[in-house]
Amino acid sequence: DTEVTQTPKHLVMGMTNKKSLKCEQHMGHRAMYWYKQKAKKPPELMFVYSYEKLSINESVPSRFSPECPNSSLLNLHLHALQPEDSALYLCASSQVSSGRNEQFFGPGTRLTVL
Amino acid sequence: GESVGLHLPTLSVQEGDNSIINCAYSNSASDYFIWYKQESGKGPQFIIDIRSNMDKRQGQRVTVLLNKTVKHLSLQIAATQPGDSAVYFCAENSPRSGANNLFFGTGTRLTVIP
């Protein structure tokens, strides 16, 4: 299985809602990532988990809360988002190594905040 | 700081011609580079990678060239096909904290004219 899956594909939420994005992989990868991608822009790194521990938080606002319950799952909890948070949220996974680090991406969740 | 940029934001080529997409990077410590293809509504898809101890790597119809002297990376696509139409990103690997970051360039939109 060389696939990263993400649910839901689309999500519309109000600024007072709480929702969660989910990501799953079964490639045995111990590094998992959340990226945010605005239209016509490159993906921007948000969080990195290495061996289920948060290793990098790229100064992301606290209304985004990541969680890695086990080595196959990665969640992103959303609360009190702003309309400017509307974007494609991508999950990726890779081996943890100091060398080659091909990241496998999921299809993303298209988030719209009203 | 680290930056990865592309020389051309858009590129149009005739079907059957060769395509060349260029990328400049600024972090001389980066040791691994990846080219990704992103089609509309999808996550980035791995095309080819290269480590800094190499200057050329070939795949099926694709070749990546790395010039560390001028910090330049290029992706060559042979006999470009309509299915190659997409946005292409170069990404630079910066090892940190036991897991590796990918910093993406701006992206080039490739349009193949039938």
Side-chain angles (χ1 to χ4, degrees), chain B residues 68-81:
Chain B
K68 294 181 289 294
T69 302
V70 295
K71 300 193 190 74
H72 183 267
L73 194 68
S74 69
L75 176 70
Q76 301 178 3
I77 304 173
T80 315
Q81 302 168 0

Side-chain angles (χ1 to χ4, degrees), chain A residues 4 25 27-33 48-49 92-97 100-104, chain B residues 36 93 99-100 102:
Chain A
V4 176
Q25 58 87 17
M27 293 179 278
H29 291 164
R30 302 302 295 276
M32 297 187 76
Y33 311 78
V48 180
Y49 273 84
S93 70
S94 74
Q95 298 176 7
V96 177
S97 70
R100 179 179 177 177
N101 180 33
E102 176 188 348
Q103 292 186 15
F104 291 80
Chain B
Y36 282 96
N93 186 307
N100 299 321
L102 277 183

